Amino acid sequence: MSTLRGEPRVEDLSAGLPPEREQVVASCPPVPAWTENLLFTPYDPTHNIGMWLHLGTVADAWELWEDRALVTLPDDEGVLSMWAYHRTDPARRPAGANLRFECLEPFQRWRVAFDGFCLRTPQESMRTGLIRDGEKVRLQLDLDIECATPVWDAHSAAAAATGRGGMDQQQWAKEHYEQLYRARGTVRWGRREVTFDGTGWRDHSRGPRGDDSVNGWGGHVIAGCLFPGSGRAFGLSRYWSTDGTVTLEGGYVVEAGELRHARVVDVPGLDGLVASGEVLPFGLAWQDRRLELTATTRTGLWTTFAGGLPYGVASPGRAYAVNWASCDWDGDVGHVYVERSDLRAR
C-alpha cells in the first residue's frame, strides 16, 4: 500500500492515457488562442477550507503563465485571492509567480505549493460585488496530492453510450480529463497554521481558449466527490449552449477501484448565490443501477462569467459559483466539489 511520500503505487489510474498527457507542452501549437490549463480544488472538512488553484498559459501570449488562487477561510475570516502573470522558466512549469504544480508520478502523485500575498475579502462582499483592494495576507501552501481514482476523460465519456455532445463542440478546450485525490499538508495565512487533510478534484485541459470562448455559452455544472472511507466516488459534467442544447455531458461512478461511465440524470441548477446550507441533488444511472444523492453546501466563492473571470459578482446572471458540499452515500461521508454557471435568459 502506498503513502503520499512513500513508494510508487502499483495500480494504474491512467485510464489508458499516456504519461505525457500529465506534462505541459514545451512549445505552443500553431493554433490561435491555444492554451493549457490545470486546476486543483482541495477541501479540508475539519477546518472548512476550500481552494480553487489555477494555472494556465495566456491565450496569444504563450510565454506568460497566469496563476490564480482563491481560498475560503474558516471562522468567517473571508476569502483570500490572488491573480498574477509570470514569464516562468520552462524548468518550473507549470507555475506562475506564486503557485506551482509539480507532477511527481503521472496520474498518481502531485505536489501543490504557493507562497505569496493575497487580498482578503469578506465572503458577503464577494457575493454581492466585484472585490475591492484592501488588506493583504501572506498565504503559504504545501500540499501532497495522492490520486485516488482512475482518470475520467471527457472525450471518451461523451462518446460512450451514456454521454452526449463532444469535446469538438467546446470553445474552451479540445482535450480535458479529471481525477479525484486525497490532499495533505500545511496551510499558513497570517499568524495561523493548520494541518490540511482532505480530498479534492483536479483537471487538465488543452486547446483554444480565447476571448470568444464564452460565445454561445449557456451554462454548466461540474461535480466530483471522493468518499475516503470506502474509496467510492462519483463525478459528472453538463455544458449547454444559450438555447439550452447540451453540448457536452457525462458522468461516472467508481467502486472497488473501477470507473464506470454513467448517464447524468439530475444536476443542481444555479438558482441563487448561496455559500452554505444549499441542498444540491445529484443523479446518475448505469447498467441497471441508479444513484441519487443530495449534498449540502458548507462554503463557497464566486467569480463573474466575463473576460478573465474577475473575482466577485458583477452581475448575478453572470455568476460562476464554486461550492464545497457534504454528501452521504450509505453512511460514508464525502465532500463534493461543484461549480455552476447559467447565462440563459430567464
Side-chain angles (χ1 to χ4, degrees):
M1 184 175 182
S2 67
T3 63
L4 285 170
R5 295 186 183 273
E7 295 299 318
R9 296 172 58 169
V10 296
E11 61 264 45
D12 181 9
L13 301 179
S14 69
L17 296 183
E20 53 266 27
R21 284 287 296 274
E22 285 277 72
Q23 304 300 321
V24 295
V25 300
S27 59
C28 184
V31 178
W34 197 94
T35 65
E36 185 154 21
N37 293 274
L38 303 93
L39 175 65
F40 282 82
T41 66
Y43 176 74
D44 181 323
T46 300
H47 298 100
N48 198 25
I49 296 175
M51 305 182 190
W52 191 89
L53 307 171
H54 185 276
L55 280 168
T57 56
V58 178
D60 299 319
W62 170 260
E63 68 280 7
L64 296 176
W65 277 81
E66 177 189 66
D67 56 330
R68 302 171 61 124
L70 287 163
V71 178
T72 63
L73 297 176
D75 305 324
D76 297 321
E77 290 190 46
V79 177
L80 297 181
S81 65
M82 190 280 311
W83 187 352
Y85 298 91
H86 190 254
R87 197 179 302 271
T88 307
D89 185 277
R92 293 190 65 249
R93 300 171 184 167
N98 303 288
L99 179 64
R100 186 184 183 194
F101 301 155
E102 183 180 5
C103 181
L104 304 177
E105 185 181 354
F107 309 112
Q108 299 280 358
R109 297 172 58 236
W110 283 75
R111 180 170 178 258
V112 171
F114 181 97
D115 189 354
F117 281 82
C118 297
L119 172 68
R120 188 202 301 266
T121 303
Q123 196 174 53
E124 181 64 10
S125 297
M126 188 182 207
R127 189 186 69 84
T128 56
L130 293 179
I131 64 173
R132 299 180 178 181
D133 198 10
E135 177 194 6
K136 307 301 190 302
V137 178
R138 187 178 183 185
L139 173 68
Q140 295 171 286
L141 309 176
D142 188 0
L143 301 177
D144 286 308
I145 305 297
E146 183 174 12
C147 301
T149 63
V151 165
W152 182 72
D153 179 59
H155 174 75
S156 299
T162 52
R164 287 196 284 175
M167 283 302 301
D168 60 337
Q169 300 179 39
Q170 306 310 304
Q171 295 175 289
W172 48 270
K174 299 303 179 185
E175 301 175 21
H176 173 86
Y177 63 84
E178 306 171 8
Q179 195 173 24
L180 299 169
Y181 55 83
R182 295 176 176 87
R184 300 185 181 98
T186 57
V187 180
R188 303 180 185 90
W189 69 98
R191 297 183 178 180
R192 292 193 63 176
E193 177 177 328
V194 300
T195 298
F196 190 97
D197 189 353
T199 58
W201 177 98
R202 75 177 182 105
D203 77 347
H204 186 178
S205 303
R206 294 173 176 166
R209 188 180 291 197
D211 292 338
D212 63 348
S213 63
V214 298
N215 291 343
W217 180 287
H220 82 303
V221 177
I222 293 174
C225 181
L226 173 66
F227 294 83
S230 64
R232 292 187 296 188
F234 79 88
L236 56 84
S237 66
R238 176 183 289 172
Y239 298 79
W240 57 88
S241 61
T242 50
D243 65 3
T245 300
V246 173
T247 62
L248 180 68
E249 180 178 277
Y252 64 91
V253 173
V254 177
E255 293 181 294
E258 182 179 356
L259 184 147
R260 296 180 176 87
H261 291 298
R263 181 169 56 88
V264 178
V265 177
D266 196 10
V267 297
L270 182 59
D271 299 319
L273 306 182
V274 182
S276 62
E278 183 182 8
V279 177
L280 309 178
F282 298 99
L284 294 166
W286 70 103
Q287 299 173 341
D288 60 347
R289 298 180 60 186
R290 188 178 179 110
L291 178 66
E292 295 182 348
L293 299 171
T294 58
T296 303
T297 59
R298 295 194 59 191
T299 190
L301 51 85
W302 301 271
T303 68
T304 296
F305 212 100
L309 292 179
Y311 297 155
V313 180
S315 165
R318 299 188 67 83
Y320 190 112
V322 170
N323 287 98
W324 290 267
S326 61
C327 185
D328 185 299
W329 184 351
D330 294 337
D332 192 7
V333 176
H335 294 88
V336 188
Y337 169 72
V338 55
E339 62 178 62
R340 294 169 290 169
S341 65
D342 195 342
L343 276 63
R344 295 173 296 183
R346 300 188 181 186

